Amino acid sequence: MGSFVAQCFFNAFLLISLFQICLAGRKLVGEVVEEPQLLKYHNGPLLSGKITVNLIWYGKFKPSERAIISDFITSLSSKTTPVSQNKQPSVAQWWKTTEKYYHLTSKKPSLSLSLGKQILDEKYSLGKSLKNKQIVQLASKGDQKNAINVVLTASDVAVEGFCMSRCGTHGSALGYSGGHIKAKRYTKFAYIWVGNSQTQCPGQCAWPFHQPIYGPQSPPLVAPNNNVGLDGMVINLASLLAGTATNPFGNGYFQGSAEAPLEASSACPGIYGKGAYPGYAGNLLQDPTTGASYNANGDNGRKYLLPALYDPATSSCSTLV
């Protein structure tokens, strides 16, 4: 069911010490080699029109932590901001790479994202150890039409496969879209799950803001929002959003197996800036006050570190800096 974008990223990171990216069809020796690798279109529908991104917060998150994620979502479509905030490179500029995939299809659909509902489940209604089917259950709490429902689990919540093989997932599930009781209409809705890895596995899922467990060792970077767990979640959420936009139902743009596909972001693991190589995220911007590393500006003066996206126009991994 669905695709596991973050799983390949996770596995690739674990294998960096062997200088080989899983399923990517390329080897890394000293530096990241960007060989052409076309993500094939499998003729499935892409998300189009006005789509709301609903956030389902499972467990305890501080309001300041929730703001890091919600500001990221609104930054994806920011068009007008105060002059003081209108800085490049931006989150919206990063997101525009996904639009190139839409221009490759004959129908040329368009996608507009906006922040929708925020649902809090601070009492752990399903416990602190979740299976995949419970992630879908939580995702179903959001709108099931014209929506992407994002489940964000707190640092004390264990999720099936979390830290062992993945940092998050995206997929689709059957939802109710309206109609009369006797003639109910159902439709597929897209969902994403991302876990806060700060206490469970920051070395795997919050790199480069934490020392890696495997592979070349280098000092961790300072997180742009001063929160290793949440800044790590932004990286994984960004990757999964790109995968959801370009491969929402498992038959869009991807390479390799449909069960573990390489998608728009997971095809470029570990790359955040030019000159990236195993253990080195690339040449990034640095905040002169905090020393934090970042490559994108967002709403409300936010700074974020976002992963490279595979650019179908250049057949290469594209970074903002």
PDB file of all heavy atoms in Angstrom, residues 62-75 84-87 89-91 224-227 230-231 234 287 294-305:
ATOM      1  N   LYS A  62       4.970  20.861  21.836  1.00  0.00           N
ATOM      2  CA  LYS A  62       4.814  22.232  22.302  1.00  0.00           C
ATOM      3  C   LYS A  62       4.263  23.097  21.162  1.00  0.00           C
ATOM      4  O   LYS A  62       4.507  22.809  19.983  1.00  0.00           O
ATOM      5  CB  LYS A  62       6.166  22.791  22.749  1.00  0.00           C
ATOM      6  CG  LYS A  62       6.802  22.053  23.916  1.00  0.00           C
ATOM      7  CD  LYS A  62       8.185  22.626  24.215  1.00  0.00           C
ATOM      8  CE  LYS A  62       8.862  21.869  25.345  1.00  0.00           C
ATOM      9  NZ  LYS A  62      10.240  22.386  25.596  1.00  0.00           N
ATOM     10  N   PRO A  63       3.525  24.154  21.500  1.00  0.00           N
ATOM     11  CA  PRO A  63       3.037  25.058  20.451  1.00  0.00           C
ATOM     12  C   PRO A  63       4.168  25.579  19.560  1.00  0.00           C
ATOM     13  O   PRO A  63       3.992  25.720  18.346  1.00  0.00           O
ATOM     14  CB  PRO A  63       2.378  26.191  21.240  1.00  0.00           C
ATOM     15  CG  PRO A  63       1.931  25.544  22.511  1.00  0.00           C
ATOM     16  CD  PRO A  63       3.007  24.539  22.826  1.00  0.00           C
ATOM     17  N   SER A  64       5.326  25.846  20.156  1.00  0.00           N
ATOM     18  CA  SER A  64       6.463  26.339  19.371  1.00  0.00           C
ATOM     19  C   SER A  64       6.952  25.283  18.391  1.00  0.00           C
ATOM     20  O   SER A  64       7.451  25.607  17.299  1.00  0.00           O
ATOM     21  CB  SER A  64       7.602  26.754  20.305  1.00  0.00           C
ATOM     22  OG  SER A  64       8.037  25.650  21.106  1.00  0.00           O
ATOM     23  N   GLU A  65       6.823  24.000  18.741  1.00  0.00           N
ATOM     24  CA  GLU A  65       7.221  22.920  17.843  1.00  0.00           C
ATOM     25  C   GLU A  65       6.217  22.775  16.700  1.00  0.00           C
ATOM     26  O   GLU A  65       6.605  22.570  15.544  1.00  0.00           O
ATOM     27  CB  GLU A  65       7.342  21.614  18.623  1.00  0.00           C
ATOM     28  CG  GLU A  65       8.486  21.615  19.635  1.00  0.00           C
ATOM     29  CD  GLU A  65       8.568  20.340  20.442  1.00  0.00           C
ATOM     30  OE1 GLU A  65       7.503  19.789  20.797  1.00  0.00           O
ATOM     31  OE2 GLU A  65       9.696  19.897  20.728  1.00  0.00           O
ATOM     32  N   ARG A  66       4.944  22.886  17.029  1.00  0.00           N
ATOM     33  CA  ARG A  66       3.927  22.793  15.977  1.00  0.00           C
ATOM     34  C   ARG A  66       4.085  23.933  14.972  1.00  0.00           C
ATOM     35  O   ARG A  66       3.829  23.757  13.778  1.00  0.00           O
ATOM     36  CB  ARG A  66       2.527  22.794  16.595  1.00  0.00           C
ATOM     37  CG  ARG A  66       2.242  21.580  17.489  1.00  0.00           C
ATOM     38  CD  ARG A  66       0.756  21.371  17.691  1.00  0.00           C
ATOM     39  NE  ARG A  66       0.110  22.479  18.370  1.00  0.00           N
ATOM     40  CZ  ARG A  66      -0.047  22.574  19.698  1.00  0.00           C
ATOM     41  NH1 ARG A  66       0.418  21.596  20.482  1.00  0.00           N
ATOM     42  NH2 ARG A  66      -0.666  23.601  20.234  1.00  0.00           N
ATOM     43  N   ALA A  67       4.516  25.084  15.457  1.00  0.00           N
ATOM     44  CA  ALA A  67       4.679  26.246  14.572  1.00  0.00           C
ATOM     45  C   ALA A  67       5.788  26.020  13.547  1.00  0.00           C
ATOM     46  O   ALA A  67       5.709  26.538  12.423  1.00  0.00           O
ATOM     47  CB  ALA A  67       4.970  27.492  15.399  1.00  0.00           C
ATOM     48  N   ILE A  68       6.823  25.265  13.912  1.00  0.00           N
ATOM     49  CA  ILE A  68       7.904  24.983  12.961  1.00  0.00           C
ATOM     50  C   ILE A  68       7.353  24.265  11.738  1.00  0.00           C
ATOM     51  O   ILE A  68       7.682  24.600  10.588  1.00  0.00           O
ATOM     52  CB  ILE A  68       9.001  24.127  13.636  1.00  0.00           C
ATOM     53  CG1 ILE A  68       9.708  24.928  14.731  1.00  0.00           C
ATOM     54  CG2 ILE A  68      10.019  23.632  12.601  1.00  0.00           C
ATOM     55  CD1 ILE A  68      10.672  24.098  15.578  1.00  0.00           C
ATOM     56  N   ILE A  69       6.476  23.286  11.964  1.00  0.00           N
ATOM     57  CA  ILE A  69       5.901  22.510  10.862  1.00  0.00           C
ATOM     58  C   ILE A  69       4.856  23.319  10.108  1.00  0.00           C
ATOM     59  O   ILE A  69       4.838  23.336   8.872  1.00  0.00           O
ATOM     60  CB  ILE A  69       5.278  21.207  11.388  1.00  0.00           C
ATOM     61  CG1 ILE A  69       6.337  20.333  12.085  1.00  0.00           C
ATOM     62  CG2 ILE A  69       4.608  20.437  10.249  1.00  0.00           C
ATOM     63  CD1 ILE A  69       7.387  19.761  11.193  1.00  0.00           C
ATOM     64  N   SER A  70       3.952  23.981  10.830  1.00  0.00           N
ATOM     65  CA  SER A  70       2.877  24.727  10.153  1.00  0.00           C
ATOM     66  C   SER A  70       3.445  25.870   9.317  1.00  0.00           C
ATOM     67  O   SER A  70       2.954  26.151   8.211  1.00  0.00           O
ATOM     68  CB  SER A  70       1.852  25.245  11.166  1.00  0.00           C
ATOM     69  OG  SER A  70       2.447  26.115  12.107  1.00  0.00           O
ATOM     70  N   ASP A  71       4.493  26.530   9.805  1.00  0.00           N
ATOM     71  CA  ASP A  71       5.132  27.586   9.019  1.00  0.00           C
ATOM     72  C   ASP A  71       5.778  27.013   7.758  1.00  0.00           C
ATOM     73  O   ASP A  71       5.806  27.671   6.708  1.00  0.00           O
ATOM     74  CB  ASP A  71       6.190  28.317   9.850  1.00  0.00           C
ATOM     75  CG  ASP A  71       5.588  29.297  10.852  1.00  0.00           C
ATOM     76  OD1 ASP A  71       4.381  29.598  10.738  1.00  0.00           O
ATOM     77  OD2 ASP A  71       6.317  29.742  11.756  1.00  0.00           O
ATOM     78  N   PHE A  72       6.303  25.798   7.856  1.00  0.00           N
ATOM     79  CA  PHE A  72       6.876  25.158   6.669  1.00  0.00           C
ATOM     80  C   PHE A  72       5.800  24.912   5.614  1.00  0.00           C
ATOM     81  O   PHE A  72       6.000  25.179   4.424  1.00  0.00           O
ATOM     82  CB  PHE A  72       7.556  23.839   7.045  1.00  0.00           C
ATOM     83  CG  PHE A  72       7.925  23.000   5.857  1.00  0.00           C
ATOM     84  CD1 PHE A  72       8.904  23.423   4.966  1.00  0.00           C
ATOM     85  CD2 PHE A  72       7.283  21.791   5.612  1.00  0.00           C
ATOM     86  CE1 PHE A  72       9.233  22.656   3.848  1.00  0.00           C
ATOM     87  CE2 PHE A  72       7.608  21.023   4.514  1.00  0.00           C
ATOM     88  CZ  PHE A  72       8.579  21.452   3.623  1.00  0.00           C
ATOM     89  N   ILE A  73       4.636  24.421   6.051  1.00  0.00           N
ATOM     90  CA  ILE A  73       3.553  24.146   5.099  1.00  0.00           C
ATOM     91  C   ILE A  73       3.091  25.425   4.408  1.00  0.00           C
ATOM     92  O   ILE A  73       2.914  25.446   3.177  1.00  0.00           O
ATOM     93  CB  ILE A  73       2.366  23.467   5.806  1.00  0.00           C
ATOM     94  CG1 ILE A  73       2.785  22.110   6.404  1.00  0.00           C
ATOM     95  CG2 ILE A  73       1.193  23.284   4.840  1.00  0.00           C
ATOM     96  CD1 ILE A  73       3.274  21.100   5.406  1.00  0.00           C
ATOM     97  N   THR A  74       2.889  26.490   5.167  1.00  0.00           N
ATOM     98  CA  THR A  74       2.444  27.737   4.539  1.00  0.00           C
ATOM     99  C   THR A  74       3.528  28.311   3.637  1.00  0.00           C
ATOM    100  O   THR A  74       3.226  29.000   2.654  1.00  0.00           O
ATOM    101  CB  THR A  74       2.037  28.783   5.595  1.00  0.00           C
ATOM    102  OG1 THR A  74       3.149  29.081   6.447  1.00  0.00           O
ATOM    103  CG2 THR A  74       0.885  28.261   6.446  1.00  0.00           C
ATOM    104  N   SER A  75       4.790  28.026   3.942  1.00  0.00           N
ATOM    105  CA  SER A  75       5.891  28.542   3.134  1.00  0.00           C
ATOM    106  C   SER A  75       5.935  27.919   1.740  1.00  0.00           C
ATOM    107  O   SER A  75       6.501  28.506   0.808  1.00  0.00           O
ATOM    108  CB  SER A  75       7.237  28.273   3.831  1.00  0.00           C
ATOM    109  OG  SER A  75       7.323  28.915   5.078  1.00  0.00           O
ATOM    110  N   SER A  84      11.047  42.289   4.287  1.00  0.00           N
ATOM    111  CA  SER A  84      12.083  41.769   5.177  1.00  0.00           C
ATOM    112  C   SER A  84      12.155  40.252   5.165  1.00  0.00           C
ATOM    113  O   SER A  84      13.156  39.662   5.521  1.00  0.00           O
ATOM    114  CB  SER A  84      11.827  42.252   6.614  1.00  0.00           C
ATOM    115  OG  SER A  84      10.572  41.779   7.075  1.00  0.00           O
ATOM    116  N   GLN A  85      11.026  39.604   4.759  1.00  0.00           N
ATOM    117  CA  GLN A  85      10.991  38.144   4.745  1.00  0.00           C
ATOM    118  C   GLN A  85      11.138  37.575   3.334  1.00  0.00           C
ATOM    119  O   GLN A  85      11.282  36.378   3.152  1.00  0.00           O
ATOM    120  CB  GLN A  85       9.676  37.634   5.348  1.00  0.00           C
ATOM    121  CG  GLN A  85       9.522  37.965   6.821  1.00  0.00           C
ATOM    122  CD  GLN A  85       8.221  37.409   7.377  1.00  0.00           C
ATOM    123  OE1 GLN A  85       7.687  36.432   6.867  1.00  0.00           O
ATOM    124  NE2 GLN A  85       7.696  38.025   8.415  1.00  0.00           N
ATOM    125  N   ASN A  86      11.072  38.436   2.333  1.00  0.00           N
ATOM    126  CA  ASN A  86      11.089  37.969   0.950  1.00  0.00           C
ATOM    127  C   ASN A  86      12.523  37.683   0.512  1.00  0.00           C
ATOM    128  O   ASN A  86      13.097  38.377  -0.320  1.00  0.00           O
ATOM    129  CB  ASN A  86      10.453  39.012   0.045  1.00  0.00           C
ATOM    130  CG  ASN A  86      10.205  38.472  -1.347  1.00  0.00           C
ATOM    131  OD1 ASN A  86      10.183  37.259  -1.545  1.00  0.00           O
ATOM    132  ND2 ASN A  86      10.024  39.369  -2.298  1.00  0.00           N
ATOM    133  N   LYS A  87      13.114  36.653   1.098  1.00  0.00           N
ATOM    134  CA  LYS A  87      14.503  36.324   0.851  1.00  0.00           C
ATOM    135  C   LYS A  87      14.606  35.051   0.008  1.00  0.00           C
ATOM    136  O   LYS A  87      13.798  34.150   0.108  1.00  0.00           O
ATOM    137  CB  LYS A  87      15.242  36.117   2.180  1.00  0.00           C
ATOM    138  CG  LYS A  87      15.269  37.350   3.077  1.00  0.00           C
ATOM    139  CD  LYS A  87      15.974  37.045   4.390  1.00  0.00           C
ATOM    140  CE  LYS A  87      15.997  38.261   5.306  1.00  0.00           C
ATOM    141  NZ  LYS A  87      16.660  37.967   6.602  1.00  0.00           N
ATOM    142  N   PRO A  89      17.351  31.918  -1.154  1.00  0.00           N
ATOM    143  CA  PRO A  89      16.383  30.969  -1.698  1.00  0.00           C
ATOM    144  C   PRO A  89      15.242  30.716  -0.721  1.00  0.00           C
ATOM    145  O   PRO A  89      15.401  30.890   0.486  1.00  0.00           O
ATOM    146  CB  PRO A  89      17.231  29.710  -1.897  1.00  0.00           C
ATOM    147  CG  PRO A  89      18.277  29.807  -0.829  1.00  0.00           C
ATOM    148  CD  PRO A  89      18.594  31.268  -0.698  1.00  0.00           C
ATOM    149  N   SER A  90      14.100  30.288  -1.241  1.00  0.00           N
ATOM    150  CA  SER A  90      12.912  30.128  -0.409  1.00  0.00           C
ATOM    151  C   SER A  90      12.352  28.714  -0.489  1.00  0.00           C
ATOM    152  O   SER A  90      12.660  27.959  -1.411  1.00  0.00           O
ATOM    153  CB  SER A  90      11.831  31.119  -0.846  1.00  0.00           C
ATOM    154  OG  SER A  90      11.333  30.770  -2.132  1.00  0.00           O
ATOM    155  N   VAL A  91      11.504  28.386   0.466  1.00  0.00           N
ATOM    156  CA  VAL A  91      10.805  27.096   0.461  1.00  0.00           C
ATOM    157  C   VAL A  91       9.945  26.979  -0.792  1.00  0.00           C
ATOM    158  O   VAL A  91       9.896  25.923  -1.436  1.00  0.00           O
ATOM    159  CB  VAL A  91       9.943  26.945   1.729  1.00  0.00           C
ATOM    160  CG1 VAL A  91       9.093  25.675   1.650  1.00  0.00           C
ATOM    161  CG2 VAL A  91      10.818  26.918   2.982  1.00  0.00           C
ATOM    162  N   PRO A 224      18.428  24.778  12.211  1.00  0.00           N
ATOM    163  CA  PRO A 224      17.999  26.156  11.983  1.00  0.00           C
ATOM    164  C   PRO A 224      16.917  26.656  12.930  1.00  0.00           C
ATOM    165  O   PRO A 224      16.820  27.858  13.188  1.00  0.00           O
ATOM    166  CB  PRO A 224      17.500  26.142  10.534  1.00  0.00           C
ATOM    167  CG  PRO A 224      17.238  24.715  10.230  1.00  0.00           C
ATOM    168  CD  PRO A 224      18.212  23.933  11.035  1.00  0.00           C
ATOM    169  N   ASN A 225      16.092  25.756  13.473  1.00  0.00           N
ATOM    170  CA  ASN A 225      15.069  26.162  14.426  1.00  0.00           C
ATOM    171  C   ASN A 225      15.402  25.708  15.846  1.00  0.00           C
ATOM    172  O   ASN A 225      14.525  25.642  16.716  1.00  0.00           O
ATOM    173  CB  ASN A 225      13.703  25.614  13.989  1.00  0.00           C
ATOM    174  CG  ASN A 225      13.228  26.252  12.698  1.00  0.00           C
ATOM    175  OD1 ASN A 225      12.784  27.391  12.678  1.00  0.00           O
ATOM    176  ND2 ASN A 225      13.344  25.514  11.598  1.00  0.00           N
ATOM    177  N   ASN A 226      16.684  25.363  16.032  1.00  0.00           N
ATOM    178  CA  ASN A 226      17.210  24.983  17.350  1.00  0.00           C
ATOM    179  C   ASN A 226      16.460  23.802  17.959  1.00  0.00           C
ATOM    180  O   ASN A 226      16.258  23.730  19.161  1.00  0.00           O
ATOM    181  CB  ASN A 226      17.167  26.179  18.311  1.00  0.00           C
ATOM    182  CG  ASN A 226      18.033  25.964  19.541  1.00  0.00           C
ATOM    183  OD1 ASN A 226      19.069  25.317  19.466  1.00  0.00           O
ATOM    184  ND2 ASN A 226      17.614  26.491  20.683  1.00  0.00           N
ATOM    185  N   ASN A 227      16.021  22.875  17.088  1.00  0.00           N
ATOM    186  CA  ASN A 227      15.287  21.708  17.569  1.00  0.00           C
ATOM    187  C   ASN A 227      15.636  20.532  16.659  1.00  0.00           C
ATOM    188  O   ASN A 227      15.080  20.412  15.560  1.00  0.00           O
ATOM    189  CB  ASN A 227      13.782  21.989  17.556  1.00  0.00           C
ATOM    190  CG  ASN A 227      12.976  20.915  18.272  1.00  0.00           C
ATOM    191  OD1 ASN A 227      13.154  19.727  18.029  1.00  0.00           O
ATOM    192  ND2 ASN A 227      12.076  21.325  19.158  1.00  0.00           N
ATOM    193  N   LEU A 230      12.512  18.326  15.527  1.00  0.00           N
ATOM    194  CA  LEU A 230      11.566  18.950  14.606  1.00  0.00           C
ATOM    195  C   LEU A 230      12.222  19.348  13.291  1.00  0.00           C
ATOM    196  O   LEU A 230      11.610  19.216  12.220  1.00  0.00           O
ATOM    197  CB  LEU A 230      10.914  20.163  15.273  1.00  0.00           C
ATOM    198  CG  LEU A 230       9.597  19.902  16.031  1.00  0.00           C
ATOM    199  CD1 LEU A 230       8.484  19.483  15.072  1.00  0.00           C
ATOM    200  CD2 LEU A 230       9.768  18.847  17.114  1.00  0.00           C
ATOM    201  N   ASP A 231      13.469  19.833  13.352  1.00  0.00           N
ATOM    202  CA  ASP A 231      14.145  20.155  12.096  1.00  0.00           C
ATOM    203  C   ASP A 231      14.402  18.894  11.289  1.00  0.00           C
ATOM    204  O   ASP A 231      14.367  18.921  10.050  1.00  0.00           O
ATOM    205  CB  ASP A 231      15.451  20.904  12.377  1.00  0.00           C
ATOM    206  CG  ASP A 231      15.228  22.386  12.648  1.00  0.00           C
ATOM    207  OD1 ASP A 231      14.676  23.060  11.771  1.00  0.00           O
ATOM    208  OD2 ASP A 231      15.584  22.868  13.736  1.00  0.00           O
ATOM    209  N   VAL A 234      11.155  18.084   9.546  1.00  0.00           N
ATOM    210  CA  VAL A 234      10.934  18.918   8.362  1.00  0.00           C
ATOM    211  C   VAL A 234      11.610  18.298   7.141  1.00  0.00           C
ATOM    212  O   VAL A 234      11.018  18.232   6.056  1.00  0.00           O
ATOM    213  CB  VAL A 234      11.452  20.353   8.589  1.00  0.00           C
ATOM    214  CG1 VAL A 234      11.484  21.125   7.269  1.00  0.00           C
ATOM    215  CG2 VAL A 234      10.578  21.085   9.597  1.00  0.00           C
ATOM    216  N   ASP A 287      23.583  30.934   9.403  1.00  0.00           N
ATOM    217  CA  ASP A 287      23.083  32.097  10.120  1.00  0.00           C
ATOM    218  C   ASP A 287      24.231  32.701  10.936  1.00  0.00           C
ATOM    219  O   ASP A 287      24.820  32.013  11.776  1.00  0.00           O
ATOM    220  CB  ASP A 287      21.938  31.687  11.046  1.00  0.00           C
ATOM    221  CG  ASP A 287      21.250  32.877  11.686  1.00  0.00           C
ATOM    222  OD1 ASP A 287      21.931  33.647  12.380  1.00  0.00           O
ATOM    223  OD2 ASP A 287      20.024  33.023  11.513  1.00  0.00           O
ATOM    224  N   TYR A 294      21.383  26.153   6.873  1.00  0.00           N
ATOM    225  CA  TYR A 294      20.083  26.088   6.215  1.00  0.00           C
ATOM    226  C   TYR A 294      20.269  26.315   4.720  1.00  0.00           C
ATOM    227  O   TYR A 294      21.354  26.682   4.251  1.00  0.00           O
ATOM    228  CB  TYR A 294      19.130  27.134   6.790  1.00  0.00           C
ATOM    229  CG  TYR A 294      19.502  28.573   6.479  1.00  0.00           C
ATOM    230  CD1 TYR A 294      18.856  29.270   5.465  1.00  0.00           C
ATOM    231  CD2 TYR A 294      20.520  29.233   7.170  1.00  0.00           C
ATOM    232  CE1 TYR A 294      19.199  30.580   5.158  1.00  0.00           C
ATOM    233  CE2 TYR A 294      20.864  30.538   6.879  1.00  0.00           C
ATOM    234  CZ  TYR A 294      20.199  31.208   5.867  1.00  0.00           C
ATOM    235  OH  TYR A 294      20.546  32.501   5.560  1.00  0.00           O
ATOM    236  N   ASN A 295      19.210  26.089   3.956  1.00  0.00           N
ATOM    237  CA  ASN A 295      19.267  26.381   2.524  1.00  0.00           C
ATOM    238  C   ASN A 295      17.975  26.999   2.003  1.00  0.00           C
ATOM    239  O   ASN A 295      17.828  27.189   0.791  1.00  0.00           O
ATOM    240  CB  ASN A 295      19.618  25.124   1.710  1.00  0.00           C
ATOM    241  CG  ASN A 295      18.597  24.008   1.873  1.00  0.00           C
ATOM    242  OD1 ASN A 295      17.538  24.191   2.473  1.00  0.00           O
ATOM    243  ND2 ASN A 295      18.919  22.829   1.350  1.00  0.00           N
ATOM    244  N   ALA A 296      17.012  27.301   2.895  1.00  0.00           N
ATOM    245  CA  ALA A 296      15.748  27.879   2.452  1.00  0.00           C
ATOM    246  C   ALA A 296      15.179  28.808   3.510  1.00  0.00           C
ATOM    247  O   ALA A 296      15.253  28.521   4.718  1.00  0.00           O
ATOM    248  CB  ALA A 296      14.742  26.782   2.129  1.00  0.00           C
ATOM    249  N   ASN A 297      14.608  29.916   3.061  1.00  0.00           N
ATOM    250  CA  ASN A 297      13.894  30.845   3.930  1.00  0.00           C
ATOM    251  C   ASN A 297      12.402  30.569   3.840  1.00  0.00           C
ATOM    252  O   ASN A 297      11.884  30.251   2.763  1.00  0.00           O
ATOM    253  CB  ASN A 297      14.174  32.287   3.505  1.00  0.00           C
ATOM    254  CG  ASN A 297      15.618  32.692   3.751  1.00  0.00           C
ATOM    255  OD1 ASN A 297      16.012  32.957   4.881  1.00  0.00           O
ATOM    256  ND2 ASN A 297      16.418  32.720   2.691  1.00  0.00           N
ATOM    257  N   GLY A 298      11.711  30.704   4.976  1.00  0.00           N
ATOM    258  CA  GLY A 298      10.287  30.459   5.006  1.00  0.00           C
ATOM    259  C   GLY A 298       9.510  31.578   5.665  1.00  0.00           C
ATOM    260  O   GLY A 298      10.051  32.644   5.974  1.00  0.00           O
ATOM    261  N   ASP A 299       8.227  31.336   5.889  1.00  0.00           N
ATOM    262  CA  ASP A 299       7.357  32.321   6.522  1.00  0.00           C
ATOM    263  C   ASP A 299       7.809  32.629   7.941  1.00  0.00           C
ATOM    264  O   ASP A 299       8.439  31.793   8.607  1.00  0.00           O
ATOM    265  CB  ASP A 299       5.912  31.811   6.535  1.00  0.00           C
ATOM    266  CG  ASP A 299       5.270  31.866   5.153  1.00  0.00           C
ATOM    267  OD1 ASP A 299       5.899  32.419   4.231  1.00  0.00           O
ATOM    268  OD2 ASP A 299       4.139  31.359   5.001  1.00  0.00           O
ATOM    269  N   ASN A 300       7.430  33.814   8.394  1.00  0.00           N
ATOM    270  CA  ASN A 300       7.703  34.238   9.777  1.00  0.00           C
ATOM    271  C   ASN A 300       9.189  34.205  10.133  1.00  0.00           C
ATOM    272  O   ASN A 300       9.564  33.935  11.274  1.00  0.00           O
ATOM    273  CB  ASN A 300       6.897  33.391  10.766  1.00  0.00           C
ATOM    274  CG  ASN A 300       5.405  33.562  10.588  1.00  0.00           C
ATOM    275  OD1 ASN A 300       4.923  34.673  10.370  1.00  0.00           O
ATOM    276  ND2 ASN A 300       4.650  32.470  10.678  1.00  0.00           N
ATOM    277  N   GLY A 301      10.024  34.476   9.141  1.00  0.00           N
ATOM    278  CA  GLY A 301      11.461  34.526   9.391  1.00  0.00           C
ATOM    279  C   GLY A 301      12.110  33.171   9.600  1.00  0.00           C
ATOM    280  O   GLY A 301      13.270  33.096  10.038  1.00  0.00           O
ATOM    281  N   ARG A 302      11.411  32.107   9.272  1.00  0.00           N
ATOM    282  CA  ARG A 302      11.952  30.754   9.473  1.00  0.00           C
ATOM    283  C   ARG A 302      13.072  30.445   8.489  1.00  0.00           C
ATOM    284  O   ARG A 302      13.121  30.959   7.378  1.00  0.00           O
ATOM    285  CB  ARG A 302      10.847  29.709   9.277  1.00  0.00           C
ATOM    286  CG  ARG A 302       9.736  29.763  10.284  1.00  0.00           C
ATOM    287  CD  ARG A 302      10.145  29.102  11.578  1.00  0.00           C
ATOM    288  NE  ARG A 302       9.007  29.078  12.497  1.00  0.00           N
ATOM    289  CZ  ARG A 302       9.101  28.762  13.776  1.00  0.00           C
ATOM    290  NH1 ARG A 302      10.282  28.414  14.277  1.00  0.00           N
ATOM    291  NH2 ARG A 302       8.036  28.764  14.548  1.00  0.00           N
ATOM    292  N   LYS A 303      13.937  29.554   8.920  1.00  0.00           N
ATOM    293  CA  LYS A 303      14.957  28.985   8.056  1.00  0.00           C
ATOM    294  C   LYS A 303      14.841  27.467   8.135  1.00  0.00           C
ATOM    295  O   LYS A 303      14.592  26.909   9.206  1.00  0.00           O
ATOM    296  CB  LYS A 303      16.353  29.440   8.475  1.00  0.00           C
ATOM    297  CG  LYS A 303      16.617  30.943   8.252  1.00  0.00           C
ATOM    298  CD  LYS A 303      17.993  31.330   8.750  1.00  0.00           C
ATOM    299  CE  LYS A 303      18.316  32.771   8.348  1.00  0.00           C
ATOM    300  NZ  LYS A 303      17.365  33.740   8.952  1.00  0.00           N
ATOM    301  N   TYR A 304      15.019  26.815   6.995  1.00  0.00           N
ATOM    302  CA  TYR A 304      14.880  25.360   6.947  1.00  0.00           C
ATOM    303  C   TYR A 304      16.008  24.747   6.123  1.00  0.00           C
ATOM    304  O   TYR A 304      16.589  25.400   5.250  1.00  0.00           O
ATOM    305  CB  TYR A 304      13.545  24.969   6.294  1.00  0.00           C
ATOM    306  CG  TYR A 304      12.319  25.402   7.069  1.00  0.00           C
ATOM    307  CD1 TYR A 304      11.563  26.500   6.652  1.00  0.00           C
ATOM    308  CD2 TYR A 304      11.907  24.724   8.211  1.00  0.00           C
ATOM    309  CE1 TYR A 304      10.434  26.895   7.343  1.00  0.00           C
ATOM    310  CE2 TYR A 304      10.771  25.106   8.910  1.00  0.00           C
ATOM    311  CZ  TYR A 304      10.045  26.201   8.469  1.00  0.00           C
ATOM    312  OH  TYR A 304       8.924  26.595   9.169  1.00  0.00           O
ATOM    313  N   LEU A 305      16.286  23.470   6.402  1.00  0.00           N
ATOM    314  CA  LEU A 305      17.181  22.683   5.570  1.00  0.00           C
ATOM    315  C   LEU A 305      16.323  21.672   4.815  1.00  0.00           C
ATOM    316  O   LEU A 305      15.642  20.845   5.431  1.00  0.00           O
ATOM    317  CB  LEU A 305      18.226  21.949   6.410  1.00  0.00           C
ATOM    318  CG  LEU A 305      19.283  21.189   5.604  1.00  0.00           C
ATOM    319  CD1 LEU A 305      20.129  22.152   4.771  1.00  0.00           C
ATOM    320  CD2 LEU A 305      20.181  20.355   6.522  1.00  0.00           C
TER     321      LEU A 305
END
